[in-house]
Amino acid sequence: MRQHTSVAVIGAGPAGLLLGHILHQAGVPFVILERTSREHLLGRIRAGVLEQGSVDTVAALGLDRNLRTHGMEHRGIYLQYEGERVHLDFKDLVGRTVTVYGQQPLVRDILEEHERIGSTIVFNADNVTPHGITGDEPTITWSVDGVQHQISADFVVGADGYHGVCRRSAPDGRMTAIERDYPFAWLGILADVPPSTDELIYALHPDGFAMHSMRSHEVSRLYLQVDPDESIDGWSDERIWSELQGRMGIPEWTLQEGVITEKSITPMRSFVVSELNVGRMFLVGDAGHIVPPTGAKGLNSAIADVVMLGRALLEHRAGNSAGLAAYSDRALSRQWKVQHFSQWMTEMLHVHREVPDPSARDFRYRSQVAQLEYVSGSIHARRSLAEQYAGLPLD
């Protein structure tokens, strides 16, 4: 007998796992298919600055026990330029905060709750393929250890990331990619040293952007702007700390150094699909959009998608399909605002080495300093940044 479920979710990242809990709490049957192993899934190290709305979503699903204990609530961020460091207090400006909690522990929390309640999650699912997404009852095929499997579903949700199969399974001319590559990359490190700051520091320096973040009270996360084609082999620990000290140093503040346990270089790009829905298949998270990390929007955008789609699926079961019909437009409307903010933060805070003329490059840099002075000095500009950083409404 052929298996059937209400919602087949492809991808067990935070988006797919969170959607599963929304469906479970409403009594909606679902399965989640993941091409990698459980160990690989939990080994992915990703950024983790959660907007207020994301924290509220996790709490509403009852998944915030560890988040409440280990998450670090921040009232705002620091902007640094020309040797000055200015604090933007989001709580005072817009009445909201952000919380630093790594994506890795968040996924672990969500997955362990799925395992406690007995959710159907298939790991190591090879050759996952959706079929008939424009029909009334799509099917998904996959194999595990060479054994073929198939299930039909009312809806398919692609939470399988940029390289996933769902977007590529759409008919030609649908779900087309709109992309932009940036001439910047981030060299990121994890270091076994307590953070040297209470809140994130975003620093513009003539030598390039630098950022101080954290993973916990014992582990720091720091970034340097580098060129996209640079090799990590050219960056010794000593060189990394020297650059961080030079780009972030200000009087009467000390950047503490420690043992670097992980380092990598990540190019920056923006990507948005033209539509997030074809037939009975819907995309969420990185399957439908990617932002440069400067505005801390990747994980939060995925959670926003899941909240919108989850509500729409539940409304459909209650007899109202308007939310499903509007999902793509609503989610993309929010996402393009997020893209603009991420692009704005990225271009304001990174040195534009790609500009070949030294005079034009210096003009660009001085304009960025002026922009940061305006953002720091204008209550309206500070509120605009705070509103977007702490998170646009999920609805």
Side-chain angles (χ1 to χ4, degrees), residues 7-8 79 101 108 159 178 196 207 212 245 248 276 283 334 363 368 379:
V7 182
L79 294 178
Y101 190 65
R108 183 181 296 277
I178 306 167
S196 304
D207 293 337
H212 191 325
Q245 293 285 3
M248 303 199 74
L276 296 174
L283 302 185
R334 187 184 191 277
F363 186 95
Q368 291 169 251
I379 184 64

Side-chain angles (χ1 to χ4, degrees), residues 141-354:
T141 57
W142 73 96
S143 63
V144 176
D145 297 329
V147 179
Q148 299 297 314
H149 300 268
Q150 176 176 310
I151 193 170
S152 62
D154 299 323
F155 298 101
V156 176
V157 176
D160 52 347
Y162 177 81
H163 297 288
V165 67
C166 288
R167 174 169 57 92
R168 299 199 307 272
S169 70
D172 290 345
R174 306 291 298 272
M175 291 186 170
T176 57
I178 306 167
E179 300 183 78
R180 176 191 173 184
D181 291 325
Y182 293 84
F184 321 120
W186 276 11
L187 189 164
I189 68 165
L190 280 174
D192 285 340
V193 59
S196 304
T197 177
D198 57 335
E199 295 180 343
L200 276 63
I201 303 170
Y202 289 80
L204 172 67
H205 186 274
D207 293 337
F209 168 79
M211 180 179 176
H212 191 325
S213 182
M214 62 281 292
R215 281 293 169 269
S216 69
H217 294 292
E218 296 79 31
V219 177
S220 295
R221 182 71 160 155
L222 301 106
Y223 299 94
L224 287 167
Q225 175 188 346
V226 298
D227 293 334
D229 59 354
E230 289 200 43
S231 170
I232 196 66
D233 295 335
W235 286 86
S236 65
D237 292 3
E238 292 76 16
R239 183 185 178 192
I240 290 171
W241 285 117
S242 176
E243 283 294 322
L244 286 167
Q245 293 285 3
R247 298 185 195 186
M248 303 199 74
I250 60 171
E252 300 180 0
W253 179 80
T254 301
L255 173 62
Q256 302 292 337
E257 300 182 12
V259 176
I260 295 176
T261 59
E262 189 269 339
K263 56 184 174 181
S264 61
I265 292 178
T266 304
M268 303 174 74
R269 73 177 187 274
S270 289
F271 151 79
V272 186
V273 296
S274 57
E275 53 190 320
L276 296 174
N277 166 223
V278 171
R280 287 180 171 261
M281 183 176 73
F282 300 83
L283 302 185
V284 295
D286 287 358
H289 42 72
I290 293 173
V291 293
T294 322
K297 293 300 167 205
L299 174 57
N300 293 293
S301 292
I303 293 173
D305 288 350
V306 165
V307 170
M308 292 185 199
L309 181 59
R311 289 174 180 168
L313 288 168
L314 301 186
E315 290 168 359
H316 171 79
R317 287 178 66 87
N320 181 2
S321 297
L324 282 181
Y327 165 72
S328 180
D329 288 343
R330 291 174 57 213
L332 285 176
S333 175
R334 187 184 191 277
Q335 176 57 206
W336 278 113
K337 297 180 182 71
V338 168
Q339 289 285 344
H340 172 266
F341 175 70
S342 300
Q343 174 181 267
W344 175 73
M345 288 279 286
T346 299
E347 294 186 337
M348 178 173 63
L349 287 161
H350 288 75
V351 173
H352 292 260
R353 298 171 180 151
E354 78 282 4

